[in-house]
């Protein structure tokens, strides 16, 4: 999810400042420094963030939770018991399985 949130604005060539301004317009002010923390995995993305990012990107929250279809690293199928660090797709066994 984190990668989608930061990858999609990048594909649109939006700067952190542009993302910040768009988030303000949808009621979720997020300073540019926090956007950097999100991208680096140093800040969690909560449900309110997810909804705001989906709104500025013209997507549903569910679409942001999906792994990128064009992952060039794992092609959507990492090896069993591993997680792709690029798209965060996991092939880890379910808990209790």
């Amino acid at each position: 999810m984190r990668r989608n949130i930061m990858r999609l604005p990048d594909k649109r060539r939006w700067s952190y400042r542009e993302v910040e301004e768009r988030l303000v317009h949808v009621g979720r002010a997020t300073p540019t420094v926090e956007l950097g923390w999100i991208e680096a995995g140093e800040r969690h993305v909560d449900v309110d963030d997810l909804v705001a990012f989906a709104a500025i990107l013209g997507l549903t929250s569910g679409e942001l939770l999906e792994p990128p279809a064009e992952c060039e690293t794992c092609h959507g199928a990492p090896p069993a018991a591993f997680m792709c660090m690029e798209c965060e797709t996991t092939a880890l066994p379910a808990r209790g399985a």
Side-chain angles (χ1 to χ4, degrees):
M1 172 184 62
R2 171 178 55 89
R3 299 228 187 238
N4 279 346
I5 285 175
M6 298 317 298
R7 178 182 59 84
L8 293 169
D10 192 48
K11 284 181 107 175
R12 291 171 168 84
R13 301 187 187 274
W14 294 350
S15 67
Y16 277 179
R17 181 73 182 135
E18 289 170 302
V19 172
E20 177 186 24
E21 289 170 1
R22 291 170 188 273
L23 288 169
V24 166
H25 287 343
V26 297
R28 186 68 177 172
T30 306
T32 56
V33 69
E34 289 188 26
L35 295 173
W37 294 341
I38 290 170
E39 187 169 31
E42 297 171 3
R43 179 184 177 282
H44 293 285
V45 176
D46 63 26
V47 173
D48 293 334
D49 294 324
L50 179 66
V51 170
F53 276 103
I56 70 167
L57 294 167
L59 301 170
T60 66
S61 298
E63 289 171 315
L64 279 182
L65 296 172
E66 292 290 322
E70 69 277 357
C71 180
E72 295 178 13
T73 303
C74 74
H75 305 288
F82 287 91
M83 180 176 90
C84 176
M85 298 307 289
E86 181 62 30
C87 70
E88 298 180 349
T89 300
T90 184
L92 299 173
R95 284 193 161 161

